[in-house]
Amino acid sequence: KRAVTRNGITGDRDDAIFGGFLSSAAVRREAVRFSAGLHPQHTAAAAQAIGKWTKPVLVLWGTADDLFAVSHAQRLAEAFPNSRLRLIEGSSTYVMLDHPSETADAIGTFIAGRS
């Protein structure tokens, strides 16, 4: 849980966020089976589709993410023809948990800019 947030997740929110991953070995096995079955052709197809997506895209990314570097966010944002990258300072992977107000403000600003 610490890997995806800077402040951790309280026990009362575990089930809502992680669901069956914490309570079901079958769910964990299925996730491993699905992930192992991913073929590079699917990644390549997704990359091509991203380049064709012309609608506005907001990429929110934590600057303190130990799993995914900011350079990944930059590459993702650059892959979309019409994107904006917004870095959330001091956040890890789950920006919405680390900085919920800033995340909501960023989304609200993005949506308001489109109308």
Side-chain angles (χ1 to χ4, degrees):
K1 294 186 281 187
R2 276 282 200 197
V4 294
T5 68
R6 298 303 287 175
N7 304 315
I9 298 169
T10 58
D12 61 327
R13 298 180 76 193
D14 279 349
D15 193 46
I17 295 168
F18 296 108
F21 282 100
L22 295 178
S23 60
S24 172
V27 169
R28 291 189 296 274
R29 279 192 303 275
E30 179 61 17
V32 169
R33 185 200 64 75
F34 173 80
S35 298
L38 291 175
H39 192 277
Q41 75 185 35
H42 301 298
T43 306
Q48 290 176 0
I50 286 171
K52 294 176 184 173
W53 184 263
T54 60
K55 294 181 181 178
V57 172
L58 173 64
V59 177
L60 292 177
W61 210 274
T63 61
D65 192 331
D66 294 332
L67 298 175
F68 304 101
V70 171
S71 62
H72 296 171
Q74 293 162 334
R75 283 180 49 211
L76 180 61
E78 288 170 4
F80 284 101
N82 186 13
S83 70
R84 288 176 46 198
L85 172 59
R86 170 81 182 268
L87 298 177
I88 307 293
E89 293 295 326
S91 180
S92 188
T93 308
Y94 287 8
V95 295
M96 67 286 198
L97 295 180
D98 285 339
H99 295 283
S101 295
E102 190 173 348
T103 300
D105 289 346
I107 294 169
T109 300
F110 177 74
I111 290 170
R114 293 182 48 216
S115 37

